[in-house]
Each structure stands twice: as structure tokens, then as C-alpha cells.
Amino acid sequence: MFCSTAYYFEIKSEEVIDVPTVKEKEKTDCGNLPEFKKRIGDSYQRIPLNDLIMKIVEGIHKLKKAKVDEYSNELKHEFTNEERIRAKLVDTYFSTIEELKNAVGASQIQLFIYLLGTWSECSGAEEFHLEARDYFSKRGIAVRKGSKDRLERDLEILSALSIQLQAKQRKQTEYIDSYLIQYQKERSGFYKIRFGSWISHVSYRIFTLLHKNFFKLHPSHDSMAILLSIKLTQLAKLQFHKPLPLYSLKFHTLFSLLDISYDQIRKQGYKYYFNQLENTFKRLNEEMGFILKMDKEKGSFNSFMQNKLYYEQLELKQFYQR
């Protein structure tokens, strides 16, 4: 049971945005703090989530379209001249770098987020364990040989990644050059995990609440929902204290995160992406308690690109404000 009622509707450009009133928001608070906290614990998982982690998530996604460096035979996405994420060839599972590239996907993002949550639960231990049965339980996946093989493939891909990124530490910008993770299989279904030095820029004590339905999303069919749910979850915490009825995100920001270029939108047709976004927003409203709205289709590419996503998550806002 959620404190917020998930719903979806569109607003025309000339309409006033329908914002929940103070009284309507108060109705979402059940007035029973122990029950509210239990509902939060049942529905959400605590995940460390800062700008560095968000950039890693974005980088993993963008490796799908990254170019292969012919000199080093690595897959590489560059954020800037100084910031990049790379993948080296993993001989255990992939015979060519192109084969590795084709295997990159949202399932590694879901696993990475799960590992961060486990690390946090272990109080930031230098090494911690991944138990396949627990991970599959959260994903709603049966424990089978094929599932274990895919898990080990995703671990191999994450262990093949290295990052060169900038991160802020005590108001200073530092440069990180590190592997993403290392893992060791101890026995069937049990793996020892170690993060690279980048983890020193993350605190296990500072968390963001991510809806557990995130792990039930299908990595092949719901990659857009997976990425947007992480970003909107981060923003829900960063902006809960601002005295605004609704927050907004420009469409070009969404497309940058999703690695969808203007040329792709022109070629495929903006209505195609409008429908994709509409379906994704409905999914996040229904399954993760968001209130997401966007301007109604206006009939041209330029007006579509100027659209905004209006968003709020009342249940998380109430939690963070307590």
C-alpha cells in the first residue's frame, strides 16, 4: 500500500497544471508513523546514489552504442576528454569485443544497483558477498542454471569495466581511475565482491530509497524505465525540500540520459518516442508511486523536443521530510 495514489494524465499546453492541494497531500499520510515506516521498508530498498553512481549507470548504458578502440581493442564511451568508461575483452565469455558490446544492457545496471544496496547493508565493508538466491528473489527470477549463467555473465561484464571520472570530495574535485568491481566465485551461487577505489567517494550511511519493483523490470523490454526510475529516484531526494508543487525535467535531458540522439528521433519519428515515453511514465506511475505528467503532443518535432516531464513522488517526499 502506497501513501500516494499513482495516476497518469496528460496536460494540454494551454491548461494549468493540476497540482495536488495541501489537503490532498495530507490525505496520503496515514497518520500512523510505525505503519508508514513499515510500508516504506516493505516497498523500498536503501541504495547509495550520488552523481558519481549516476554517471556510472549512464556510462554502462551508453557502452551499448560505444565505439571500439581498434588500437587497444576496448569498448569506450567518453563523457568528456578526461572522463570515460571502458570495457576490456573478457575471454571467459566473449570471443570478440563486439560480442561483449552486444551483451551490454540494463541487466548489469540492475545488478550494479543491487550490489550497492548489499554493500550499504554490510556497512561499507571492503569485501562482501552476493548470494544468487537473494538476488533472484528480488528480481522475481527462478533459481536455474540459465539464471546463474546470466548472473555470472553480468558479473564478468561489470568486472571488465574501468572508469576514469571526476568526483567531488569535501568540496574538491578529484580524478578517479579505477576498476568497477572484482568478484570471485566461492561456490555455486555465492560470490565475493570488491568495489574499486571509486567507492571511497560514496558513503554507505547516506542512502536514497529505490522502489523494489525496480528489480522486477525486464532488462530487455524495460531499459528506459530502469534508467528513468534511477534518475527520478535520485531527484526525488535532492529536491524534496524545495517549495515547489511539481518539479520538471526537460526532454533533451531525458534523451541524453537514454542515449537517444536527435537524428534517431527524426529518423524514427518523434511520435514513436512520444509513445515510448508515455508507456514508460504510466509504468512508473503504476508500479513505483510516481506522479508523472508531460505536455500533450503538439504536432511537431521542435515542440516535442521542448516538452518537459513534470514529476513528484509524494511518499518519498513525506519520508525525507520527517
Side-chain angles (χ1 to χ4, degrees):
M1 176 180 177
F2 300 116
C3 282
S4 61
T5 301
Y7 57 94
Y8 176 89
F9 57 91
E10 295 173 352
I11 52 177
K12 297 179 181 179
S13 57
E14 65 271 14
E15 290 179 338
V16 176
I17 299 173
D18 184 7
V19 177
T21 65
V22 173
K23 288 185 178 180
E24 286 173 335
K25 290 184 179 183
E26 287 175 350
K27 289 179 183 178
T28 64
D29 192 339
C30 62
N32 188 320
L33 187 57
E35 285 187 9
F36 179 71
K37 288 185 175 180
K38 182 180 185 303
R39 194 161 61 248
I40 289 291
D42 290 342
S43 301
Y44 296 87
Q45 181 166 343
R46 297 185 176 200
I47 301 292
L49 186 57
N50 60 15
D51 288 342
L52 173 61
I53 291 170
M54 196 66 230
K55 182 161 280 190
I56 293 172
V57 167
E58 182 179 347
I60 295 173
H61 173 69
K62 290 184 175 180
L63 281 175
K64 192 73 177 175
K65 295 182 182 177
K67 295 181 179 179
V68 174
D69 189 321
E70 296 181 358
Y71 178 77
S72 61
N73 197 33
E74 291 180 330
L75 194 61
K76 180 170 61 176
H77 170 75
E78 293 188 341
F79 295 97
T80 66
N81 291 334
E82 297 181 343
E83 294 186 291
R84 61 190 61 85
I85 182 170
R86 300 181 298 172
K88 64 179 184 296
L89 184 62
V90 181
D91 296 332
T92 309
Y93 276 78
F94 309 105
S95 56
T96 67
I97 193 68
E98 287 291 344
E99 189 179 340
L100 184 152
K101 178 179 178 179
N102 292 333
V104 172
S107 62
Q108 292 103 51
I109 294 174
Q110 287 175 301
L111 177 56
F112 177 58
I113 294 296
Y114 172 83
L115 293 177
L116 283 166
T118 305
W119 171 80
S120 178
E121 291 172 358
C122 295
S123 301
E126 186 175 342
E127 292 182 342
F128 59 97
H129 287 85
L130 160 64
E131 183 179 353
R133 187 176 297 276
D134 181 69
Y135 178 61
F136 293 150
S137 175
K138 282 186 169 58
R139 291 284 314 278
I141 298 173
V143 182
R144 299 191 178 109
K145 182 181 183 303
S147 303
K148 291 182 179 179
D149 289 343
R150 286 190 292 273
L151 173 59
E152 292 190 7
R153 181 206 64 177
D154 287 345
L155 284 170
E156 284 285 327
I157 293 175
L158 290 179
S159 67
L161 303 183
S162 61
I163 58 173
Q164 290 82 40
L165 298 173
Q166 293 180 346
K168 289 185 178 180
Q169 187 84 347
R170 297 182 181 87
K171 298 183 179 181
Q172 292 185 343
T173 301
E174 297 182 7
Y175 186 75
I176 302 169
D177 188 348
S178 168
Y179 63 83
L180 188 63
I181 77 162
Q182 291 179 342
Y183 86 98
Q184 178 183 346
K185 183 175 181 178
E186 296 194 323
R187 62 183 187 277
S188 179
F190 289 85
Y191 309 88
K192 183 186 293 184
I193 308 294
R194 176 192 291 263
F195 287 135
S197 60
W198 61 270
I199 199 64
S200 65
H201 296 269
V202 181
S203 172
Y204 71 86
R205 296 184 179 90
I206 301 175
F207 64 88
T208 300
L209 292 176
L210 177 67
H211 203 288
K212 291 180 180 179
N213 283 340
F214 165 84
F215 296 103
K216 301 292 177 60
L217 295 170
H218 194 287
S220 297
H221 306 145
D222 302 323
S223 60
M224 185 178 286
I226 287 170
L227 285 163
L228 290 184
S229 62
I230 300 173
K231 185 61 179 178
L232 292 172
T233 294
Q234 180 196 29
L235 293 176
K237 181 177 181 180
L238 291 176
Q239 300 181 342
F240 77 89
H241 61 282
K242 295 182 179 180
L244 297 174
L246 283 175
Y247 313 106
S248 64
L249 199 62
K250 294 181 180 178
F251 267 31
H252 72 76
T253 302
L254 296 182
F255 290 131
S256 175
L257 171 67
L258 297 170
D259 202 21
I260 300 173
S261 68
Y262 284 17
D263 288 340
Q264 282 181 266
I265 298 172
R266 287 187 182 276
K267 184 177 180 180
Q268 190 77 36
Y270 73 90
K271 292 183 180 180
Y272 169 81
Y273 289 101
F274 180 92
N275 292 333
Q276 277 205 329
L277 286 173
E278 184 178 48
N279 292 333
T280 298
F281 296 160
K282 285 182 180 179
R283 187 83 182 271
L284 296 180
N285 285 345
E286 293 167 359
E287 299 184 17
M288 299 191 187
F290 284 100
I291 299 173
L292 303 177
K293 314 171 187 181
M294 63 177 171
D295 290 335
K296 190 174 178 60
E297 179 182 355
K298 298 177 181 177
S300 72
F301 171 83
N302 289 335
S303 60
F304 173 67
M305 296 306 297
Q306 293 171 5
N307 263 342
K308 290 182 180 181
L309 168 66
Y310 300 94
Y311 63 93
E312 189 166 42
Q313 220 287 7
L314 297 180
E315 192 166 44
L316 292 182
K317 188 172 184 178
Q318 289 171 3
F319 177 85
Y320 293 133
Q321 286 177 338
R322 289 183 178 273

